[in-house]
């Protein structure tokens, strides 16, 4: 079983409108809802690849109940979310049908009480015993200590479970000190962490700060991996058009799935890039296009070894 | 008991953000939720004035459950909403903290099935037997026939219950033909209905189309009443600063409450204008400032008779 942790789960709502104009009133022409938060997105992709996944983190209120109800319909995903008094946040993505652009409104998330945070840590340690790998994903809701990920990384390492950390800002900085096996920052997150805008150099700096391996997502240019086993770049065949929402989460799912299958790095990166590009191409944000994935896996992804000692 | 009908109830959500920019991502700094839809707003004001109110219309899904849960906390309001399979719509008001401006996103509402519409009509006729007055408020959800209000007006008249209709567009046009006792359009709705932008003339035209009395809300200029008993203008003492959300619904509550207390028109109008202005002044959208209301009632509203035969 692969475990994904989403401390700040969300009910992701998408509104389609004809032209978003500040200070005007808009009729929403279409409403869609799905469970959100990075770890839940990663879990959905892993399940679609055939893995058994358990999701944990927090869920509360009527929005949390809706998230959990949606999850029961996803084959291969086991819900081990921990209840909280506060309501799971909503995120609202307003898609302008005229331009295709999206405006995002993100609620802050429920205030998590110390007793709830303690209850989660106990549940997490129990779940680690059955896990082949764990991914710690996304932002922290109010009330969860900023050093939370460091503790969760340490617990995973103590249990001998490989741990991937996908967050940003101070929670990433603190989490790194506990030496996660893998981090997957994007270029901005990596620059914020290290102060360097040169991805090779920044990834190397992140390794010095504690990450065993760094896979940086460079948007349309694909992935850069800096690991003890070597350095690689993996890129899709050409610029992929579509909606990048969820592409990073699909890359995480590809990396985790390759990790538990003990694939060599180039194969893990191929899978991650193919899933990521197939997510950009899918008509629905956050889903992946299976035909595109299979095609890219077969022959579409170029992996090249990079110079420089790891 | 006063009955208010809200066929398209809503869960009204307000987001505060620091500067709304299309195509950007925003952290919502504050989230508030309350039951919405014009008839529910009217009911809340009536209850605050000491009236017993019963609310009906449709509620469904988890959003409908949240609306009903909020209503249980409002003293004086009895929930007689009829369940529907579809989910009650949300409305999202995004308040830009820098400018104070609001951007509104309105979901369309659940599709109402013919059997659900029939069930509502039966419940409505039962509720009319105990009602001193009824207000039919707001838009129609998908699936409810556009002539719905005409049937509801006729049923009220057959039961001898005075009926106020507060809607717009085609539902207003069709509803008028059934001869409601009172309509409360704003200047735009009145112009759309009659083709005239001169409120006196337009109100007179609306009476010819079937309304016994017309009270037009003219924004900061107050109300214009054209009735069989005479014509009046009622205005607040000076321009009232604040948020006009819900001011029209408060005016409806004032008119209904004056109607069931058999007040003369000038007193009804004074109450409606005072409530409306006290709603604009209140810090929370849709609430009214009771001290401001009492003060305006005492000496702040100017009512003047207008020339011209009614």
């Amino acid at each position: 079983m692969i475990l994904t942790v989403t401390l700040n789960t969300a009910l992701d709502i998408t509104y389609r409108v004809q032209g978003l104009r500040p200070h005007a009133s808009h009729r929403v022409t279409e409403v869609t809802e799905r469970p959100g938060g990075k770890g839940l997105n990663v879990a959905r992709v892993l399940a679609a690849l055939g893995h058994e996944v358990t999701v944990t983190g927090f869920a509360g209120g009527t929005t949390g109940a809706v998230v959990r109800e949606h999850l029961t319909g996803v084959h291969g995903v086991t819900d081990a979310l921990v209840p909280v008094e506060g309501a799971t946040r909503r995120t609202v993505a307003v898609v302008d049908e005229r331009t295709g652009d999206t405006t995002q409104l993100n609620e802050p998330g429920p205030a998590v009480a110390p007793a709830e945070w303690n209850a989660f840590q106990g549940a997490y340690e129990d779940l680690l015993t059955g896990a082949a790998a764990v991914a710690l994903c996304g932002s922290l809701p109010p009330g969860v200590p900023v050093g939370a990920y460091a503790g969760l990384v340490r617990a995973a390492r103590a249990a001998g479970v490989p741990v991937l950390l996908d967050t940003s800002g101070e929670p990433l900085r603190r989490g790194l000190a506990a030496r996660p096996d893998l981090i997957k920052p994007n270029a901005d997150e990596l620059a914020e962490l290290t102060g360097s805008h040169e991805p090779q150099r920044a990834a190397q700096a992140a390794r010095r700060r504690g990450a065993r391996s760094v896979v940086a997502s460079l948007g349309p240019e694909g992935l850069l991996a800096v690991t003890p086993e070597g350095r690689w770049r993996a890129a899709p065949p050409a610029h992929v058009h579509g909606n990048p929402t969820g592409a990073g989460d699909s890359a995480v799912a590809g990396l985790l799935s390759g990790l538990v299958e003990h694939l060599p790095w180039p194969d893990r990166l191929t899978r991650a890039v193919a899933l990521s590009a197939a997510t950009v191409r899918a008509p629905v944000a956050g889903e992946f296009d299976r035909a595109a994935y299979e095609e890219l896996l077969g022959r579409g992804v170029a992996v090249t070894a990079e110079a420089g000692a790891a």
Side-chain angles (χ1 to χ4, degrees), chain A residues 104-295:
Chain A
Q104 190 73 36
L105 300 159
N106 297 325
E107 296 187 9
V112 174
E116 292 168 332
W117 172 234
N118 287 341
F120 169 78
Q121 288 169 288
Y124 171 73
E125 291 189 19
D126 291 346
L127 289 165
L128 280 175
T129 60
V134 58
L136 309 173
C137 304
S139 62
L140 301 176
V144 169
V146 70
Y149 282 134
L152 301 183
V153 167
R154 259 180 236 114
R157 287 173 52 85
V161 179
V163 54
L164 183 155
L165 177 61
D166 185 16
T167 187
S168 58
E170 194 59 22
L172 172 58
R173 190 181 306 271
R174 303 271 193 115
L176 264 191
R179 313 191 80 77
D181 294 275
L182 179 57
I183 64 170
K184 194 222 60 61
N186 62 32
D188 287 346
E189 289 161 352
L190 198 54
E192 190 198 347
L193 178 70
T194 62
S196 167
H197 289 270
E198 199 289 297
Q200 278 267 12
R201 193 167 304 165
Q204 194 54 42
R207 289 196 64 222
R208 280 195 299 272
R209 285 165 183 260
R212 185 174 192 278
S213 299
V214 176
V215 177
S217 54
L218 309 176
E221 290 166 53
L223 301 175
L224 166 70
V226 180
T227 83
E229 290 78 38
R231 302 179 183 198
W232 293 269
R233 274 184 192 267
H239 185 70
V240 180
H241 293 278
N243 186 339
T245 304
D249 301 329
S250 291
V252 167
L255 294 170
L256 271 177
S257 119
L259 184 155
V260 300
E261 293 174 34
H262 306 289
L263 298 186
W265 271 109
D267 294 352
R268 295 187 200 183
L269 297 170
T270 297
R271 188 177 283 185
V273 167
L275 276 173
S276 192
T279 300
V280 174
R281 272 210 211 153
V284 177
E287 306 287 327
F288 72 92
D289 178 324
R290 189 172 285 273
Y293 169 59
E294 307 279 356
E295 183 201 323

Side-chain angles (χ1 to χ4, degrees), chain A residues 20 25 52 98 102 133 156 171 189 215 229 249 295 297:
Chain A
L20 179 66
S25 189
E52 288 296 319
R98 298 216 175 125
T102 298
E189 289 161 352
V215 177
E229 290 78 38
D249 301 329
E295 183 201 323
L297 255 196

Side-chain angles (χ1 to χ4, degrees), chain A residues 10-13 15 20 89-94 102-108:
Chain A
L11 178 62
D12 284 345
I13 300 170
Y15 285 163
L20 179 66
R89 70 195 169 119
R90 286 167 290 223
T91 73
V92 178
V94 185
T102 298
T103 305
Q104 190 73 36
L105 300 159
N106 297 325
E107 296 187 9

